[in-house]
Amino acid sequence: MLKTFLFLPFLALGLVAIAPQPSSAADRRGEQNEARAQMMAGQVKSIRSIEDRILPRMPGSEYIGPEFDPGAQVYRLKFIRDGRVIFVDVDGRTGNILRQSR
């Protein structure tokens, strides 16, 4: 019984550490609006053209979706393969892969 009480605080800390960070819909819309504005201004490629280039390179992976960093002009495409999340960072200006997590 004493072991259970000693374990509970560690369990609670672990759950807090892995809990997803809240992301507001307004933040997501702002990210999308910035990506669209930069695409319309010819500064970055569209997410569709990026996806058309990257998705065929990820066979056996399930595509989760993109994020866009307007400051760096980088798209991050997220995939799942064999229970692991894979991030592919793509230069929004050129469409080249910058890095890929393994």
Side-chain angles (χ1 to χ4, degrees):
M1 177 111 166
L2 181 57
K3 287 182 182 178
T4 302
F5 285 115
L6 293 175
F7 177 72
L8 288 176
F10 292 109
L11 177 63
L13 285 174
L15 291 175
V16 169
I18 63 171
Q21 297 297 318
S23 152
S24 73
D27 289 342
R28 185 76 174 146
R29 279 191 302 275
E31 177 184 296
Q32 291 172 348
N33 289 340
E34 185 63 30
R36 179 170 168 68
Q38 288 189 25
M39 192 259 313
M40 296 299 287
Q43 296 172 341
V44 297
K45 295 181 176 289
S46 72
I47 185 58
R48 296 296 169 236
S49 68
I50 298 288
E51 290 170 338
D52 288 347
R53 185 172 184 180
I54 303 302
L55 292 173
R57 297 180 181 197
M58 300 298 292
S61 299
E62 180 182 346
Y63 182 50
I64 300 171
E67 290 182 1
F68 181 69
D69 180 343
Q73 294 182 320
V74 171
Y75 289 98
R76 172 168 276 183
L77 281 62
K78 297 176 280 184
F79 299 86
I80 291 181
R81 181 187 310 143
D82 300 327
R84 291 185 20 239
V85 177
I86 301 169
F87 297 106
V88 179
D89 293 339
V90 180
D91 185 319
R93 296 170 295 250
T94 65
N96 294 332
I97 295 175
L98 299 172
R99 66 193 142 271
Q100 178 176 333
S101 68
R102 292 273 174 195

XYZ file of all heavy atoms in Angstrom:
802
model
N 0.824 -1.195 0.000
C 0.000 0.000 0.000
C 0.867 1.257 0.000
O 0.579 2.184 -0.724
C -0.929 -0.041 1.204
C -1.776 1.179 1.338
S -3.460 0.739 0.992
C -4.269 2.134 1.580
N 1.930 1.231 0.832
C 2.827 2.377 0.892
C 3.500 2.602 -0.461
O 3.659 3.738 -0.904
C 3.886 2.168 1.987
C 4.875 3.320 2.176
C 4.155 4.616 2.478
C 5.858 2.987 3.273
N 3.844 1.518 -1.157
C 4.467 1.639 -2.474
C 3.528 2.330 -3.453
O 3.949 3.120 -4.290
C 4.853 0.264 -3.005
C 6.030 -0.341 -2.307
C 6.359 -1.675 -2.928
C 7.519 -2.326 -2.191
N 7.846 -3.630 -2.735
N 2.239 2.027 -3.350
C 1.253 2.647 -4.238
C 1.209 4.151 -4.019
O 1.204 4.928 -4.970
C -0.139 2.043 -4.003
O -0.063 0.649 -4.220
C -1.163 2.663 -4.931
N 1.215 4.580 -2.767
C 1.171 6.012 -2.472
C 2.451 6.717 -2.908
O 2.422 7.863 -3.330
C 0.917 6.262 -0.975
C -0.503 6.001 -0.571
C -0.811 4.981 0.312
C -1.532 6.765 -1.084
C -2.118 4.731 0.673
C -2.850 6.516 -0.727
C -3.141 5.498 0.145
N 3.569 6.038 -2.838
C 4.821 6.626 -3.295
C 4.881 6.717 -4.813
O 5.497 7.614 -5.372
C 6.011 5.816 -2.772
C 6.225 5.845 -1.260
C 7.359 4.912 -0.875
C 6.520 7.263 -0.786
N 4.225 5.800 -5.485
C 4.239 5.751 -6.939
C 3.313 6.790 -7.567
O 3.606 7.313 -8.640
C 3.836 4.332 -7.392
C 3.756 4.178 -8.877
C 4.906 4.166 -9.651
C 2.528 4.067 -9.512
C 4.833 4.021 -11.022
C 2.450 3.926 -10.879
C 3.610 3.906 -11.635
N 2.204 7.113 -6.910
C 1.202 8.009 -7.494
C 1.743 9.383 -7.896
O 1.429 9.861 -8.989
C 0.003 8.150 -6.555
C -0.890 6.913 -6.471
C -1.987 7.128 -5.442
C -1.488 6.580 -7.818
N 2.568 10.045 -7.067
C 3.075 11.354 -7.517
C 3.923 11.251 -8.787
O 3.863 12.112 -9.651
C 3.921 11.843 -6.344
C 3.423 11.089 -5.161
C 2.937 9.765 -5.685
N 4.712 10.178 -8.904
C 5.523 10.008 -10.099
C 4.646 9.757 -11.321
O 4.918 10.243 -12.405
C 6.528 8.865 -9.918
C 7.574 9.182 -8.901
C 7.587 8.557 -7.673
C 8.548 10.141 -9.167
C 8.547 8.859 -6.736
C 9.515 10.448 -8.236
C 9.516 9.813 -7.010
N 3.592 9.001 -11.131
C 2.652 8.744 -12.221
C 2.005 10.046 -12.671
O 1.904 10.333 -13.860
C 1.588 7.736 -11.782
C 0.495 7.431 -12.800
C 1.096 6.779 -14.045
C -0.565 6.544 -12.193
N 1.586 10.865 -11.719
C 0.949 12.139 -12.051
C 1.913 13.051 -12.803
O 1.540 13.687 -13.789
C 0.446 12.828 -10.785
N 3.170 13.109 -12.363
C 4.158 13.933 -13.061
C 4.396 13.432 -14.475
O 4.536 14.216 -15.405
C 5.481 13.945 -12.285
C 5.505 14.795 -11.031
C 6.825 14.594 -10.290
C 5.286 16.251 -11.346
N 4.428 12.125 -14.643
C 4.616 11.556 -15.974
C 3.473 11.896 -16.898
O 3.671 12.215 -18.071
N 2.249 11.846 -16.388
C 1.091 12.154 -17.219
C 1.077 13.620 -17.621
O 0.730 13.960 -18.748
C -0.200 11.781 -16.494
C -0.439 10.288 -16.310
C -1.694 10.052 -15.470
C -0.554 9.578 -17.636
N 1.481 14.495 -16.706
C 1.544 15.920 -17.028
C 2.616 16.163 -18.085
O 2.435 16.944 -19.011
C 1.827 16.753 -15.756
C 2.168 18.190 -16.109
C 0.622 16.707 -14.828
N 3.737 15.475 -17.974
C 4.835 15.684 -18.921
C 4.479 15.251 -20.332
O 4.939 15.847 -21.301
C 6.077 14.924 -18.436
N 3.647 14.218 -20.481
C 3.326 13.731 -21.824
C 2.007 14.278 -22.353
O 1.652 14.011 -23.485
C 3.303 12.192 -21.881
C 2.217 11.622 -20.976
C 4.654 11.614 -21.577
C 1.992 10.131 -21.156
N 1.302 15.054 -21.547
C 0.023 15.612 -21.989
C 0.271 16.568 -23.157
O 1.223 17.335 -23.149
C -0.661 16.355 -20.843
N -0.560 16.521 -24.181
C -0.377 17.424 -25.314
C -0.597 18.871 -24.904
O -1.428 19.169 -24.049
C -1.429 16.966 -26.315
C -2.416 16.194 -25.539
C -1.703 15.659 -24.326
N 0.183 19.746 -25.496
C 0.030 21.160 -25.220
C -1.228 21.665 -25.920
O -1.491 21.314 -27.062
C 1.247 21.925 -25.724
C 2.526 21.520 -25.030
C 2.494 21.822 -23.554
O 2.033 22.884 -23.144
N 2.956 20.891 -22.741
N -2.003 22.482 -25.226
C -3.212 22.988 -25.871
C -2.855 23.877 -27.056
O -1.909 24.641 -27.003
C -3.904 23.787 -24.761
C -2.866 24.055 -23.741
C -1.822 22.981 -23.883
N -3.592 23.708 -28.119
C -3.376 24.505 -29.315
C -4.720 25.105 -29.684
O -5.670 24.390 -29.934
C -2.838 23.603 -30.419
O -3.178 24.079 -31.658
N -4.766 26.398 -29.706
C -6.047 27.024 -29.973
C -6.341 27.036 -31.468
O -5.439 27.056 -32.306
C -6.073 28.447 -29.419
O -5.278 29.284 -30.214
N -7.603 27.029 -31.782
C -8.022 27.066 -33.180
C -7.579 28.374 -33.833
O -7.237 28.400 -35.015
C -9.533 26.908 -33.274
N -7.528 29.441 -33.044
C -7.100 30.731 -33.583
C -5.637 30.690 -34.005
O -5.263 31.252 -35.042
C -7.320 31.829 -32.549
N -4.794 30.015 -33.212
C -3.389 29.876 -33.584
C -3.254 29.108 -34.888
O -2.470 29.456 -35.760
C -2.596 29.162 -32.489
C -2.409 30.017 -31.251
O -2.587 31.247 -31.339
O -2.095 29.445 -30.190
N -4.019 28.045 -35.020
C -3.968 27.202 -36.221
C -4.434 27.988 -37.452
O -3.842 27.907 -38.516
C -4.846 25.964 -35.998
C -4.789 24.975 -37.104
C -3.501 24.201 -37.054
N -3.569 23.161 -38.054
C -2.532 22.741 -38.718
N -1.351 23.219 -38.453
N -2.664 21.816 -39.618
N -5.488 28.772 -37.277
C -5.980 29.597 -38.387
C -4.946 30.650 -38.778
O -4.742 30.925 -39.956
C -7.308 30.255 -38.036
C -8.504 29.339 -38.206
C -9.813 30.103 -38.114
N -9.974 30.821 -36.869
C -10.457 30.297 -35.740
N -10.808 29.037 -35.696
N -10.570 31.027 -34.652
N -4.271 31.222 -37.782
C -3.230 32.210 -38.059
C -2.093 31.612 -38.857
O -1.576 32.227 -39.791
N -1.713 30.382 -38.499
C -0.662 29.660 -39.224
C -1.083 29.406 -40.667
O -0.311 29.628 -41.601
C -0.411 28.336 -38.499
C 0.578 27.426 -39.125
C 0.660 26.109 -38.370
O 1.071 26.111 -37.203
O 0.297 25.094 -38.975
N -2.314 28.987 -40.861
C -2.825 28.722 -42.207
C -2.906 30.009 -43.024
O -2.562 30.026 -44.211
C -4.194 28.053 -42.139
C -4.143 26.643 -41.597
C -5.534 26.065 -41.347
O -6.525 26.775 -41.369
N -5.586 24.774 -41.094
N -3.369 31.073 -42.392
C -3.476 32.353 -43.094
C -2.099 32.866 -43.517
O -1.940 33.400 -44.621
C -4.178 33.392 -42.220
C -5.656 33.104 -42.059
O -6.252 32.385 -42.855
N -6.253 33.652 -41.008
N -1.105 32.706 -42.645
C 0.248 33.149 -42.976
C 0.827 32.319 -44.109
O 1.467 32.859 -45.023
C 1.154 33.076 -41.741
C 2.541 33.625 -41.968
C 2.585 35.107 -42.316
O 1.711 35.867 -41.871
O 3.505 35.498 -43.054
N 0.602 31.014 -44.082
C 1.079 30.146 -45.164
C 0.435 30.564 -46.484
O 1.109 30.659 -47.519
C 0.770 28.677 -44.863
N -0.860 30.828 -46.450
C -1.562 31.237 -47.675
C -1.055 32.581 -48.175
O -0.817 32.754 -49.378
C -3.068 31.297 -47.416
C -3.867 31.732 -48.632
C -5.362 31.543 -48.409
N -6.184 32.180 -49.398
C -6.275 31.827 -50.664
N -5.565 30.830 -51.119
N -7.069 32.468 -51.499
N -0.864 33.533 -47.264
C -0.374 34.857 -47.664
C 1.008 34.756 -48.302
O 1.272 35.383 -49.336
C -0.341 35.793 -46.454
N 1.891 33.951 -47.693
C 3.232 33.796 -48.255
C 3.189 33.054 -49.596
O 3.965 33.357 -50.499
C 4.147 33.079 -47.266
C 4.523 33.960 -46.084
C 5.593 33.345 -45.209
O 6.382 32.522 -45.654
N 5.629 33.766 -43.945
N 2.283 32.108 -49.723
C 2.142 31.383 -50.987
C 1.612 32.321 -52.079
O 2.134 32.343 -53.190
C 1.190 30.189 -50.808
C 1.192 29.214 -51.970
S -0.183 29.339 -53.127
C -1.624 29.445 -52.128
N 0.626 33.127 -51.747
C 0.056 34.066 -52.726
C 1.088 35.116 -53.148
O 1.068 35.591 -54.285
C -1.196 34.747 -52.155
C -2.350 33.787 -51.874
S -2.942 32.929 -53.324
C -3.802 34.229 -54.147
N 1.998 35.459 -52.246
C 3.044 36.438 -52.557
C 4.215 35.802 -53.299
O 5.176 36.498 -53.655
C 3.543 37.089 -51.264
N 4.142 34.494 -53.532
C 5.198 33.804 -54.260
C 6.434 33.511 -53.417
O 7.485 33.166 -53.946
N 6.305 33.619 -52.091
C 7.453 33.385 -51.211
C 7.642 31.903 -50.899
O 8.770 31.474 -50.649
C 7.280 34.176 -49.912
C 7.267 35.663 -50.127
C 6.906 36.430 -48.872
O 6.337 35.882 -47.930
N 7.232 37.715 -48.858
N 6.554 31.135 -50.861
C 6.639 29.695 -50.577
C 5.731 28.939 -51.539
O 4.812 29.503 -52.129
C 6.240 29.345 -49.114
C 7.186 29.968 -48.116
C 4.806 29.716 -48.816
N 6.016 27.661 -51.672
C 5.182 26.783 -52.493
C 3.905 26.440 -51.727
O 3.859 26.528 -50.502
C 5.946 25.504 -52.825
C 7.162 25.730 -53.695
C 7.841 24.413 -53.990
C 8.999 24.598 -54.926
N 8.634 24.927 -56.285
N 2.887 26.017 -52.438
C 1.647 25.605 -51.783
C 1.866 24.280 -51.057
O 2.738 23.484 -51.440
C 0.522 25.439 -52.814
O 0.750 24.277 -53.594
N 1.073 24.043 -50.031
C 1.185 22.776 -49.301
C 0.861 21.609 -50.232
O 1.443 20.526 -50.107
C 0.298 22.771 -48.030
C 0.524 21.494 -47.200
C -1.175 22.909 -48.378
C 1.943 21.265 -46.765
N -0.013 21.791 -51.176
C -0.356 20.716 -52.118
C 0.851 20.309 -52.952
O 1.092 19.125 -53.162
C -1.513 21.125 -53.036
C -2.805 21.376 -52.311
C -3.332 20.107 -51.647
N -4.419 20.457 -50.749
C -4.463 20.167 -49.463
N -3.495 19.489 -48.898
N -5.479 20.522 -48.721
N 1.618 21.299 -53.425
C 2.792 20.952 -54.227
C 3.867 20.276 -53.364
O 4.557 19.368 -53.829
C 3.360 22.182 -54.943
O 3.907 23.093 -54.024
N 3.974 20.700 -52.116
C 4.913 20.064 -51.179
C 4.485 18.618 -50.930
O 5.295 17.687 -51.001
C 4.987 20.845 -49.855
C 5.494 22.266 -50.060
C 5.789 20.084 -48.802
C 6.952 22.402 -50.384
N 3.194 18.421 -50.656
C 2.686 17.066 -50.401
C 2.858 16.171 -51.632
O 3.237 15.005 -51.500
C 1.217 17.117 -49.984
C 1.001 17.704 -48.609
C -0.459 17.978 -48.294
O -1.277 18.110 -49.228
O -0.791 18.075 -47.105
N 2.597 16.722 -52.809
C 2.750 15.930 -54.043
C 4.187 15.441 -54.215
O 4.423 14.378 -54.783
C 2.342 16.750 -55.270
C 0.839 16.960 -55.365
O 0.085 16.271 -54.639
O 0.412 17.823 -56.164
N 5.112 16.195 -53.710
C 6.528 15.833 -53.835
C 6.985 14.872 -52.735
O 7.797 13.981 -52.979
C 7.358 17.111 -53.786
C 8.801 16.893 -54.024
C 9.507 18.204 -54.157
N 10.908 17.932 -54.484
C 11.800 18.852 -54.666
N 11.462 20.107 -54.597
N 13.035 18.523 -54.934
N 6.469 15.037 -51.512
C 6.982 14.287 -50.361
C 6.222 12.982 -50.111
O 6.834 11.958 -49.781
C 6.947 15.160 -49.085
C 7.752 16.446 -49.280
C 7.443 14.383 -47.867
C 9.210 16.243 -49.645
N 4.914 12.975 -50.250
C 4.127 11.781 -49.922
C 4.588 10.524 -50.659
O 4.675 9.453 -50.035
C 2.635 12.034 -50.146
C 1.993 13.029 -49.179
C 0.564 13.335 -49.584
C 2.047 12.539 -47.756
N 4.938 10.594 -51.947
C 5.420 9.378 -52.615
C 6.732 8.836 -52.037
O 7.063 7.673 -52.224
C 5.618 9.812 -54.075
C 4.745 10.999 -54.244
C 4.744 11.685 -52.911
N 7.468 9.674 -51.339
C 8.739 9.253 -50.739
C 8.551 8.567 -49.383
O 9.543 8.173 -48.764
C 9.659 10.459 -50.542
C 10.052 11.117 -51.829
C 10.940 12.290 -51.557
N 11.294 12.949 -52.794
C 12.293 13.792 -52.913
N 13.043 14.079 -51.885
N 12.542 14.351 -54.082
N 7.303 8.453 -48.930
C 7.031 7.901 -47.611
C 6.129 6.664 -47.698
O 5.094 6.586 -47.034
C 6.383 8.969 -46.725
C 7.213 10.213 -46.513
S 8.779 9.904 -45.674
C 8.196 9.439 -44.066
N 6.503 5.662 -48.487
C 5.652 4.478 -48.608
C 5.561 3.745 -47.262
O 6.526 3.706 -46.500
C 6.365 3.627 -49.653
C 7.788 4.039 -49.560
C 7.760 5.504 -49.211
N 4.393 3.189 -46.992
C 4.185 2.460 -45.745
C 3.909 3.350 -44.552
O 3.794 2.874 -43.433
N 3.812 4.655 -44.781
C 3.543 5.606 -43.705
C 2.140 6.175 -43.848
O 1.648 6.367 -44.957
C 4.538 6.767 -43.750
O 5.842 6.311 -43.587
N 1.540 6.464 -42.724
C 0.241 7.139 -42.715
C 0.491 8.630 -42.523
O 1.173 9.045 -41.580
C -0.629 6.610 -41.581
C -1.980 7.270 -41.504
C -2.818 6.768 -40.336
O -2.479 5.738 -39.736
O -3.817 7.437 -40.022
N -0.030 9.447 -43.429
C 0.156 10.892 -43.369
C -0.810 11.485 -42.361
O -2.020 11.279 -42.441
C -0.070 11.491 -44.757
C 0.135 12.983 -44.849
C 1.281 13.579 -44.359
C -0.810 13.788 -45.453
C 1.484 14.945 -44.471
C -0.628 15.146 -45.578
C 0.527 15.725 -45.078
O 0.727 17.075 -45.185
N -0.280 12.237 -41.397
C -1.108 12.868 -40.366
C -1.504 14.277 -40.784
O -2.639 14.680 -40.641
C -0.373 12.906 -39.013
C -0.047 11.499 -38.564
C -1.207 13.629 -37.965
C 0.858 11.430 -37.362
N -0.534 15.035 -41.308
C -0.840 16.392 -41.744
C 0.347 17.316 -41.609
O 1.389 16.942 -41.081
N 0.181 18.572 -42.074
C 1.284 19.531 -42.059
C 1.143 20.580 -40.955
O 0.065 20.800 -40.404
C 1.136 20.208 -43.411
C -0.354 20.289 -43.582
C -0.886 19.008 -42.969
N 2.260 21.224 -40.674
C 2.310 22.460 -39.899
C 3.179 23.408 -40.711
O 3.971 22.960 -41.541
C 2.941 22.241 -38.529
C 2.095 21.444 -37.575
C 2.752 21.290 -36.204
O 3.870 21.821 -35.997
O 2.161 20.618 -35.370
N 3.052 24.703 -40.462
C 3.864 25.678 -41.188
C 4.483 26.645 -40.201
O 3.800 27.171 -39.320
C 3.010 26.443 -42.203
C 3.782 27.459 -43.001
C 4.725 27.054 -43.926
C 3.570 28.813 -42.814
C 5.449 27.982 -44.670
C 4.272 29.750 -43.546
C 5.213 29.330 -44.481
N 5.781 26.881 -40.309
C 6.494 27.874 -39.509
C 6.742 29.075 -40.408
O 7.631 29.045 -41.269
C 7.817 27.296 -39.007
C 8.605 28.286 -38.165
O 8.333 29.503 -38.204
O 9.525 27.830 -37.454
N 5.944 30.141 -40.248
C 6.060 31.271 -41.164
C 7.391 32.002 -41.061
O 7.890 32.523 -42.053
C 4.894 32.179 -40.791
C 4.456 31.747 -39.445
C 4.867 30.326 -39.273
N 7.994 32.042 -39.888
C 9.271 32.735 -39.731
C 10.387 32.045 -40.485
O 11.195 32.683 -41.153
N 10.427 30.727 -40.394
C 11.465 29.943 -41.066
C 11.056 29.543 -42.478
O 11.890 29.064 -43.243
C 11.778 28.694 -40.251
N 9.781 29.718 -42.808
C 9.213 29.284 -44.091
C 9.461 27.797 -44.313
O 9.914 27.366 -45.368
C 9.754 30.125 -45.244
C 9.318 31.573 -45.172
C 9.808 32.397 -46.331
O 10.927 32.255 -46.797
N 8.942 33.290 -46.805
N 9.136 27.022 -43.278
C 9.345 25.575 -43.300
C 8.021 24.873 -43.006
O 7.316 25.230 -42.069
C 10.410 25.153 -42.258
C 10.485 23.644 -42.123
C 11.763 25.725 -42.643
N 7.715 23.887 -43.853
C 6.586 23.001 -43.601
C 7.107 21.789 -42.837
O 8.180 21.271 -43.142
C 5.968 22.507 -44.914
C 5.212 23.547 -45.695
C 5.812 24.205 -46.756
C 3.895 23.842 -45.389
C 5.118 25.144 -47.498
C 3.189 24.784 -46.117
C 3.801 25.436 -47.174
O 3.111 26.366 -47.898
N 6.355 21.326 -41.855
C 6.661 20.078 -41.160
C 5.520 19.120 -41.450
O 4.386 19.354 -41.051
C 6.807 20.293 -39.662
C 6.927 18.974 -38.910
C 7.357 19.141 -37.500
N 8.815 19.223 -37.508
C 9.551 19.323 -36.426
N 8.980 19.384 -35.253
N 10.860 19.373 -36.512
N 5.828 18.063 -42.180
C 4.844 17.029 -42.494
C 5.014 15.902 -41.489
O 6.144 15.493 -41.205
C 5.035 16.514 -43.917
C 4.469 17.401 -45.033
C 5.110 18.755 -45.085
C 4.586 16.700 -46.359
N 3.886 15.427 -40.940
C 3.928 14.402 -39.902
C 3.336 13.099 -40.432
O 2.288 13.103 -41.064
C 3.148 14.873 -38.678
C 3.762 16.115 -38.029
C 2.942 16.617 -36.889
C 1.786 17.403 -37.457
N 0.952 18.042 -36.461
N 4.042 12.009 -40.133
C 3.657 10.673 -40.567
C 3.737 9.711 -39.389
O 4.451 9.981 -38.419
C 4.615 10.158 -41.657
C 4.644 10.992 -42.903
C 5.483 12.090 -43.004
C 3.833 10.672 -43.984
C 5.524 12.855 -44.157
C 3.866 11.437 -45.140
C 4.718 12.527 -45.227
N 3.041 8.576 -39.507
C 3.191 7.476 -38.559
C 3.560 6.240 -39.363
O 2.937 5.938 -40.380
C 1.890 7.197 -37.778
C 1.584 8.342 -36.830
C 2.018 5.894 -36.990
C 0.332 8.130 -36.003
N 4.598 5.542 -38.876
C 5.004 4.272 -39.481
C 5.442 3.345 -38.348
O 6.276 3.717 -37.539
C 6.157 4.457 -40.458
C 6.564 3.133 -41.119
C 7.800 3.216 -41.981
N 7.760 4.312 -42.925
C 8.836 5.026 -43.250
N 10.002 4.783 -42.722
N 8.736 5.996 -44.135
N 4.874 2.165 -38.307
C 5.217 1.175 -37.284
C 5.097 1.742 -35.872
O 5.931 1.485 -35.008
C 6.629 0.627 -37.509
C 6.778 -0.052 -38.848
O 5.790 -0.656 -39.318
O 7.874 0.012 -39.444
N 4.071 2.560 -35.652
C 3.823 3.122 -34.328
C 4.729 4.278 -33.947
O 4.653 4.768 -32.819
N 5.579 4.731 -34.858
C 6.482 5.850 -34.570
C 6.094 7.059 -35.411
O 5.733 6.929 -36.575
C 7.929 5.458 -34.893
C 8.482 4.413 -33.945
C 9.944 4.086 -34.161
N 10.716 5.059 -34.885
C 11.369 4.815 -36.027
N 11.310 3.623 -36.582
N 12.061 5.764 -36.623
N 6.192 8.236 -34.811
C 5.922 9.480 -35.533
C 7.202 9.907 -36.242
O 8.288 9.873 -35.670
C 5.443 10.587 -34.575
C 5.237 11.903 -35.316
C 4.160 10.181 -33.873
N 7.049 10.273 -37.496
C 8.174 10.741 -38.313
C 7.855 12.168 -38.759
O 6.768 12.440 -39.273
C 8.375 9.839 -39.548
C 8.645 8.411 -39.112
C 9.486 10.385 -40.432
C 8.584 7.411 -40.246
N 8.809 13.071 -38.554
C 8.670 14.455 -39.000
C 9.569 14.665 -40.206
O 10.735 14.277 -40.196
C 9.077 15.436 -37.902
C 8.226 15.358 -36.674
C 8.707 14.768 -35.524
C 6.945 15.866 -36.665
C 7.928 14.694 -34.379
C 6.151 15.795 -35.533
C 6.651 15.208 -34.387
N 9.019 15.298 -41.234
C 9.801 15.662 -42.408
C 9.687 17.179 -42.548
O 8.605 17.708 -42.793
C 9.283 14.960 -43.691
C 10.108 15.386 -44.891
C 9.298 13.452 -43.520
N 10.810 17.869 -42.355
C 10.838 19.321 -42.486
C 11.244 19.671 -43.912
O 12.258 19.182 -44.420
C 11.826 19.925 -41.495
C 11.373 19.748 -40.048
O 10.170 19.538 -39.819
O 12.224 19.810 -39.143
N 10.437 20.527 -44.544
C 10.611 20.852 -45.957
C 10.721 22.365 -46.123
O 9.908 23.119 -45.585
C 9.409 20.322 -46.784
C 9.576 20.642 -48.253
C 9.220 18.833 -46.559
N 11.723 22.792 -46.868
C 11.896 24.213 -47.172
C 10.715 24.658 -48.025
O 10.492 24.124 -49.118
C 13.213 24.414 -47.928
C 13.538 25.870 -48.172
O 12.632 26.667 -48.509
O 14.723 26.228 -48.039
N 9.961 25.616 -47.530
C 8.778 26.079 -48.239
C 9.089 26.809 -49.530
O 8.255 26.891 -50.424
N 10.295 27.344 -49.648
C 10.666 28.085 -50.862
C 11.048 27.146 -51.997
O 10.709 27.387 -53.137
C 11.823 29.041 -50.550
C 11.446 30.129 -49.543
C 12.684 30.870 -49.089
N 13.567 29.960 -48.360
C 13.788 30.013 -47.055
N 13.216 30.944 -46.330
N 14.591 29.165 -46.462
N 11.791 26.067 -51.663
C 12.324 25.189 -52.699
C 11.615 23.834 -52.783
O 11.697 23.161 -53.805
C 13.816 24.909 -52.452
O 13.955 24.174 -51.226
C 14.612 26.201 -52.390
N 10.999 23.419 -51.686
C 10.389 22.089 -51.642
C 11.381 20.997 -51.275
O 11.032 19.822 -51.254
N 12.616 21.361 -50.973
C 13.643 20.374 -50.606
C 13.487 19.939 -49.158
O 13.166 20.756 -48.290
C 15.054 20.955 -50.801
C 15.373 21.226 -52.250
O 14.854 20.569 -53.138
N 16.212 22.221 -52.494
N 13.767 18.668 -48.906
C 13.737 18.154 -47.547
C 14.946 18.691 -46.799
O 16.082 18.577 -47.261
C 13.747 16.615 -47.529
C 12.454 16.080 -48.163
C 13.909 16.083 -46.104
C 12.412 14.577 -48.296
N 14.683 19.311 -45.638
C 15.755 19.843 -44.810
C 16.261 18.794 -43.823
O 17.446 18.667 -43.592
C 15.277 21.061 -44.040
C 14.819 22.245 -44.893
C 14.183 23.322 -44.026
C 15.994 22.798 -45.677
N 15.322 18.047 -43.208
C 15.659 16.996 -42.254
C 14.459 16.087 -42.071
O 13.327 16.488 -42.310
C 16.151 17.583 -40.929
C 15.118 18.354 -40.136
C 15.760 19.177 -39.011
N 15.089 20.451 -38.881
C 15.381 21.566 -39.515
N 16.365 21.600 -40.353
N 14.701 22.663 -39.334
N 14.780 14.895 -41.636
C 13.738 13.890 -41.393
C 14.101 13.137 -40.133
O 15.227 12.652 -40.013
C 13.643 12.936 -42.582
C 12.618 11.840 -42.393
C 12.494 10.981 -43.642
O 12.746 11.426 -44.754
N 12.088 9.752 -43.455
N 13.162 13.058 -39.206
C 13.416 12.286 -37.981
C 13.311 10.796 -38.318
O 12.636 10.413 -39.262
C 12.414 12.646 -36.885
O 11.120 12.213 -37.240
N 13.974 9.979 -37.570
C 13.950 8.532 -37.803
C 13.324 7.825 -36.637
O 13.472 8.011 -35.555
C 15.366 8.003 -38.021
C 15.956 8.507 -39.306
C 15.578 7.617 -40.416
N 16.024 8.195 -41.677
C 15.572 7.768 -42.807
N 14.699 6.849 -42.894
N 16.002 8.293 -43.923
